[in-house]
Amino acid sequence: MSIEIKNNQFHLRTKTSSYIFCVLSDRYLVHLYWGEKFENDVDLKYNADEYYRWRCGTYPFYDENSTNLYTTYDLRHEFSVVGGGDFRIPTFDAKYKNGSTVSEFEFESYKVYDGKPKLCSLPATYDEGGDAETLEVVLCDKLTGLKATLVYSVFEEYDVITRSIRYDNCGNDSILLKSCQSASVDFIGTDYKLLNLQGEWCNERSVEWQKVGHSIINIDSKTGMSSHARNPFLVLADENTDEYSGNAYGMALVYSGSFSMTAEGTSFGYTRIAAGINPYDFEWDLDKGESFQTPEVVMAFSNTGLNDMSRRYHKIFRERLCRGKFRDMPRPMLVNNWEATGADFTEDKIVDIAKAAAKVGFEMVVLDDGWFGKRDNDLTSLGDWYVHKTKLPKGLASLVNRVNEMGLKFGLWFEPEMISADSDLYRAHPDWCIHCDGRRRTEGRHQLMLDLSRDEVCDYIIKVVSDILESANIEYVKWDCNRNITETQNNSQKHKFMLGTYKVMEALVTKFPDVLFESCASGGGRFDAGMLYYMPQTWTSDCTEAVTRMHIQYGTSFAYPVSSMAAHVGKMAVGFDKFNGPMDTSAKVAMGANFGFEMDLSELSETETEQVKGYVEQYKLVRETVQFGELYRLESPFETPYASWMMVKDNQAVLFAHKTSTRNTVEKRQLKLKGLDKNKQYRCNDKIYDGETLMKLGFVIPQDSKGHMYVFETI
Ligand code: GLA
């Protein structure tokens, strides 16, 4: 039993953590604790009584009838609203029929059950074979009849708790929802640091720490996408927390649209974290009898540092968020033609690339942008998902068959959420794009976005994408999304677009269970937990340059598993003339995730071909460990001139040890490895090492500037 309820106190226990809150004065839900696990029965309500005393006359009383005088501003709320004197960022904000925004929710009931409910129309972690237990706590605003059901699922073995909130309008009037955060947690103290994965196109998810103190820090996206700029993930940590020691509290939002995550440190010495849909351009009319479901937040705590917290996310995202037959399957090594040919190719050119790919042992060829409509550049044809007659005169099936005959699988690029102004689809349905009447239709990369909040638009896209997938043996889809949402007709359209996109994705991944889907958004502009529910991997970034990639993959690993990161050696980044330097490093970096190439392998010399063949052979030997092993970060490129990490699975460990500059140094370095068996011996490059020695004394890395991969096998 991971959920225990006694004397109105709710105690949620995972393998190593406890999360505790209570009902105060029979009405209010008050947060008491999140941290290291309490093994014994504890009653923390004394703490509420002693801690939450009235301190300052300028703040209103929370409960004047109680023997204790609480002030709302001085309480740690499990659910906070506008009104009553709590002036911090609220979990919930709405406008009622009389124009007021004041809410008063009171505890009504709770229930506990095995398993975990599906979230209506939204991606979420799931229970399999009884790994989760769920607590629902119902609060009610008696005046308006609005109910808020706080849903907590405890994945005890995964060491993770998920939260979301459902609103049911049981009153008589419609209510305008203004802000519906998925969860908020009030921590004691303000001496925290906060991690934000920030970036831009070709430089996504850089690790950035800032001190919370008494400020408000908002990490958000307003673009309709989770975005390149900030990721829907944060960590709150004690000042001294590092990779392998200290408290780290993670929050990951399972949502791919505009989001907001806020940390607010207050003068009373608390820090509130709230996470959910961005209220900035959100509102929702909730009619009588209707419900609204917030996205889910996945919360992971570790008192042994950031790396353990990350490994909790990796495991739950890999095993209880990703779905389908590819979830646990090694991902194919592929060659994508984008950096080789762009949109300028013929059937024979792709066949040439495939021949060269087959020769060195790749498993799949992916045809990227440019195979449909009249798409010879990015000015045209999105939405016209039928084959480009000049480039592929014999149709897709002819090309796919030729590729399959070489023993390779075939994959195809789509950008289903988009529409080009120059397309047959737009000419037929100019109103199908997201637009605001009377305003300019801003184009991004010369394209508009389909209004997937409309059922007929979703149905059309499901049909045309299905027709293509049924027309040939297509075993992989790269699902791209290359612009943001600009002019919306109203403030619910962005969230409705997201729900429509999820609906289309759900329909297609369900209809084509044998197709491996990979998401992409101008590289890693929508690398989030929401997408992983539909597509178990993501194109990590359009940047394939080795050193930037080290940073990107390292930063991404704070929240997301290696099996979700696609990483290719790209022609753009290495050029052939630098084959022995950057190419080798690029390959070693790409082998640290789901490995592939983006170049015309048919142009390589024999020596170069042999070299690529060597990478493919090496990767096959380590693939299972890299994609599904336990990840240990060793040296941060954000803090040192190095980027090192390792994966461990069963009897193998794979170490990646890179330098982030080509500057010569005389310094050798000794890397202390992690996650090995201290009682076992390991063979690496024909030498034998003790596991304990490798972890306590370390492994010597040469002083050159190349990237390195070392494989350790137990003997
Ligand atoms: C985006 C993707 C690239 C490629 C192009 C094609 O930028 O991130 O990998 O697919 O689109 O237009």
Side-chain angles (χ1 to χ4, degrees), residues 162-457:
T162 65
R163 284 184 65 179
S164 68
I165 302 177
R166 192 184 67 245
Y167 294 94
D168 298 298
N169 186 350
C170 304
N172 295 320
D173 299 313
S174 103
I175 296 167
L176 185 70
L177 307 183
K178 290 173 58 192
S179 175
C180 296
Q181 298 295 286
S182 301
S184 56
V185 181
D186 284 355
F187 294 81
I188 290 179
T190 59
D191 286 338
Y192 295 105
K193 57 181 180 181
L194 183 122
L195 174 141
N196 166 26
L197 297 177
Q198 64 83 31
E200 57 188 336
W201 176 68
C202 272
N203 188 21
E204 296 92 338
R205 292 172 297 285
S206 290
V207 173
E208 183 179 80
W209 285 103
Q210 50 200 307
K211 201 172 154 25
V212 176
H214 298 93
S215 323
I216 297 175
I217 301 173
N218 184 230
I219 297 168
D220 86 340
S221 162
K222 302 182 183 74
T223 64
M225 306 288 136
S226 50
S227 91
H228 297 88
R230 298 183 200 101
N231 197 264
F233 170 76
L234 64 74
V235 183
L236 193 74
D238 290 346
E239 267 179 322
N240 299 329
T241 296
D242 58 24
E243 283 287 4
Y244 294 99
S245 69
N247 290 327
Y249 307 83
M251 281 192 140
L253 195 61
V254 189
Y255 189 59
S256 314
S258 298
F259 70 92
S260 168
M261 296 181 117
T262 308
E264 179 170 358
T266 68
S267 53
F268 278 11
Y270 301 124
T271 298
R272 173 170 297 171
I273 301 283
I277 296 174
N278 199 334
Y280 168 79
D281 49 5
F282 168 86
E283 47 186 34
W284 198 270
D285 264 320
L286 195 69
D287 270 343
K288 179 180 164 183
E290 285 184 347
S291 301
F292 181 83
Q293 174 65 57
T294 72
E296 173 168 292
V297 169
V298 179
M299 310 198 313
F301 165 78
S302 154
N303 64 342
T304 47
L306 299 161
N307 202 83
D308 276 347
M309 178 213 64
S310 294
R311 291 199 293 126
R312 277 166 205 155
Y313 279 112
H314 297 166
K315 196 164 162 60
I316 191 134
F317 285 173
R318 214 166 48 209
E319 298 177 5
R320 293 294 178 270
L321 179 65
C322 294
R323 298 174 295 166
K325 79 174 210 189
F326 297 98
R327 184 186 83 173
D328 307 320
M329 270 173 62
R331 308 293 160 70
M333 286 184 283
L334 62 86
V335 175
N336 177 304
N337 74 308
W338 180 245
E339 288 196 25
T341 66
D344 184 16
F345 57 83
T346 59
E347 177 176 323
D348 285 345
K349 180 78 228 169
I350 302 302
V351 168
D352 284 348
I353 294 177
K355 268 188 201 149
K359 198 168 146 196
V360 293
F362 278 103
E363 296 157 334
M364 179 164 10
V365 160
V366 176
L367 178 58
D368 210 281
D369 192 357
W371 60 267
F372 52 92
K374 297 193 175 64
R375 183 87 163 171
D376 295 323
N377 51 47
D378 59 15
L379 299 173
T380 176
S381 297
L382 292 166
D384 296 347
W385 299 111
Y386 37 79
V387 173
H388 192 298
K389 293 198 178 63
T390 352
K391 284 187 217 170
L392 300 171
K394 290 183 256 163
L396 262 178
S398 159
L399 170 63
V400 177
N401 290 341
R402 289 173 76 188
V403 169
N404 285 168
E405 274 161 19
M406 291 176 231
L408 293 170
K409 296 178 192 300
F410 181 88
L412 195 62
W413 180 96
F414 284 92
E415 203 180 351
E417 296 148 80
M418 300 294 157
I419 178 167
S420 301
D422 177 18
S423 66
D424 293 341
L425 185 63
Y426 188 81
R427 282 181 282 275
H429 300 285
D431 62 320
W432 274 17
C433 66
I434 294 183
H435 64 279
C436 176
D437 290 337
R439 299 285 181 199
R440 198 160 53 105
R441 298 177 178 200
T442 303
E443 294 185 16
R445 211 198 192 198
H446 314 290
Q447 63 202 52
L448 298 158
M449 298 197 73
L450 281 171
D451 185 359
L452 294 180
S453 65
R454 291 167 63 172
D455 286 343
E456 69 273 31
V457 182

Side-chain angles (χ1 to χ4, degrees), residues 224-225 417-418 434 449-453 481 485 492-503 526:
M225 306 288 136
E417 296 148 80
M418 300 294 157
I434 294 183
M449 298 197 73
L450 281 171
D451 185 359
L452 294 180
S453 65
C481 174
I485 304 178
S492 62
Q493 202 172 17
K494 279 188 184 164
H495 183 57
K496 284 187 178 157
F497 167 85
M498 209 58 252
L499 294 177
T501 300
Y502 287 148
K503 185 171 87 173
R526 203 163 59 178

